[in-house]
Amino acid sequence: MNPGAFRALSRAMLKGLLRDRTALFFTVLFPLMFLALFGLLFQNDEGASVTVVEVGDVAVLDDMPQEQLAALSDALTIERSADRAQALEDVRQGDVDAAVWEEDGEIQLRYSAADATAAGTVQGLMQSIVQSANVAATGQEPAHTLATDRVEDESTKPIQFLTPGLLGWAVATGAAYSSAFTLVTWRKKRILRRLWLAPVSPAAVVGARVGVSLAVALVQAAIFIGVASLPAYGLQLSGNWWLTLPLVVCGTLAFMSIGLLIGALVGSEEAANGALQVVVLPMAFLAGSFFPTDMMPGWLRAVSNVLPLKHLNEAVMDVLSRDGGWGEALPTMGGLLLFAAVLTAVAARFFRWDNA
């Protein structure tokens, strides 16, 4: 490979990226905006809080010990009303989470299925309150008690889990778009044909594109980690956080191969953009870049588990936030590199120097 040609092509590609403000915005700044926004929105990591309307007198609520009421104050807000119909209408409209009243010695609870999270929370709280009241009525100490706590340190914030997923999405978007659009644009403008006829080896062209994409991805990672580590967000780095960098390198190569395949198959920027939107954005949702995949149906989680972005996100979270090490990073790195090799070989089969 001619070093001079490699440097010249790298400079040309880098200048092209810096001059294309739209590409720069969507590959670097747009994902960073999501990190900044989500980081602020989810700074408060307290559990879900629900509001229940108590219609009339409900003994289990009215007779609740003050210490138990204080313990539930962060999770449960009780409002009082004498109008059952209005309380039920407020639940239907989503103004409150549930209505409760006592009828013929039985506690009646009504909630809306429109908010599954609030419905599950209010049912669990009310069941706990009723059970505690039943135990107190017997005058005996409960035979069993349950102590709960989270496995993470109390200082753990949502930013610890937001950063890996959004960084993975940023890397995937930047790598796939850059390789696909470079290939399509250069072929359309006959730049590839000129390079084919010029004394420039294919290795120099490919090496320059890979080098620039890796540089951009590492800059993305540095910016993401730097912003997330600001006091306003509070990302706490684990001891092996630096393993994020080789994971980002392997992830960039994997998603560049997706871009190469798309660029080899389509003939216009519009078609490339449409194909990338169909591939990258759904993958980001299915891979847990924006929200956890735990609530997905089983068959959808199975689809998620074969996506390279899901494994990149999980590995970055392991080394960045969970004190993971080489044991978590190496299998993912190997899988991403194997994925890149297979897809690059397929892309090479369909590669054309010219649209003709």
Side-chain angles (χ1 to χ4, degrees), residues 217-345:
L218 292 174
V219 169
Q220 280 181 317
I223 293 174
F224 261 72
I225 294 173
V227 170
S229 299
L230 293 174
Y233 298 104
L235 175 66
Q236 300 294 320
L237 299 176
S238 69
N240 292 316
W241 70 269
W242 56 271
L243 284 173
T244 301
L245 302 181
L247 281 166
V248 164
V249 169
C250 295
T252 300
L253 295 175
F255 287 99
M256 281 191 71
S257 68
I258 294 177
L260 288 174
L261 180 59
I262 291 174
L265 292 173
V266 303
S268 67
E269 291 91 340
E270 293 79 8
N273 182 60
L276 288 165
Q277 291 282 3
V278 168
V279 173
V280 177
L281 193 57
M283 186 187 300
F285 279 98
L286 292 174
S289 291
F290 304 111
F291 55 83
T293 60
D294 299 340
M295 300 299 292
M296 290 182 179
W299 67 269
L300 205 53
R301 285 201 303 272
V303 173
S304 173
N305 288 332
V306 302
L307 300 176
L309 184 54
K310 170 68 178 296
H311 297 283
L312 175 62
N313 289 344
E314 289 289 334
V316 171
M317 185 178 295
D318 285 336
V319 302
L320 196 64
S321 304
R322 294 173 174 165
D323 292 319
W326 284 107
E328 290 75 22
L330 274 179
T332 299
M333 291 167 62
L336 290 171
L337 291 177
L338 177 61
F339 179 87
V342 171
L343 234 63
T344 300

Side-chain angles (χ1 to χ4, degrees), residues 133-188:
N134 287 334
V135 171
T138 65
Q140 299 179 355
E141 291 293 326
H144 305 282
T145 59
L146 174 67
T148 64
D149 201 355
R150 63 183 185 182
V151 297
E152 295 86 9
D153 184 83
E154 289 296 327
S155 63
T156 301
K157 298 180 179 180
I159 195 69
Q160 302 290 139
F161 312 108
L162 288 171
T163 304
L166 293 175
L167 175 58
W169 171 55
V171 168
T173 301
Y177 273 76
S178 63
S179 57
F181 274 93
T182 297
L183 195 55
V184 171
T185 303
W186 282 23
R187 186 191 300 119
K188 187 176 180 180

Side-chain angles (χ1 to χ4, degrees), residues 88-232:
L88 292 173
E89 182 61 24
D90 290 341
V91 175
R92 292 189 189 96
Q93 296 297 325
D95 297 327
V96 295
D97 298 300
V100 60
W101 65 90
E102 190 169 349
E103 185 175 356
D104 298 329
E106 188 175 41
I107 308 299
Q108 301 290 332
L109 177 68
R110 300 293 184 270
Y111 55 87
S112 173
D115 188 340
T117 300
T121 301
V122 75
Q123 287 181 83
L125 284 171
M126 288 304 301
Q127 286 172 357
S128 175
I129 291 170
V130 171
Q131 184 178 15
S132 297
N134 287 334
V135 171
T138 65
Q140 299 179 355
E141 291 293 326
H144 305 282
T145 59
L146 174 67
T148 64
D149 201 355
R150 63 183 185 182
V151 297
E152 295 86 9
D153 184 83
E154 289 296 327
S155 63
T156 301
K157 298 180 179 180
I159 195 69
Q160 302 290 139
F161 312 108
L162 288 171
T163 304
L166 293 175
L167 175 58
W169 171 55
V171 168
T173 301
Y177 273 76
S178 63
S179 57
F181 274 93
T182 297
L183 195 55
V184 171
T185 303
W186 282 23
R187 186 191 300 119
K188 187 176 180 180
K189 293 181 178 179
R190 294 182 174 268
I191 296 176
L192 282 180
R193 184 173 181 83
R194 296 191 193 103
L195 291 173
W196 182 33
L197 298 174
V200 178
S201 67
V205 179
V206 174
R209 179 67 270 173
V210 171
V212 171
S213 294
L214 290 178
V216 171
L218 292 174
V219 169
Q220 280 181 317
I223 293 174
F224 261 72
I225 294 173
V227 170
S229 299
L230 293 174

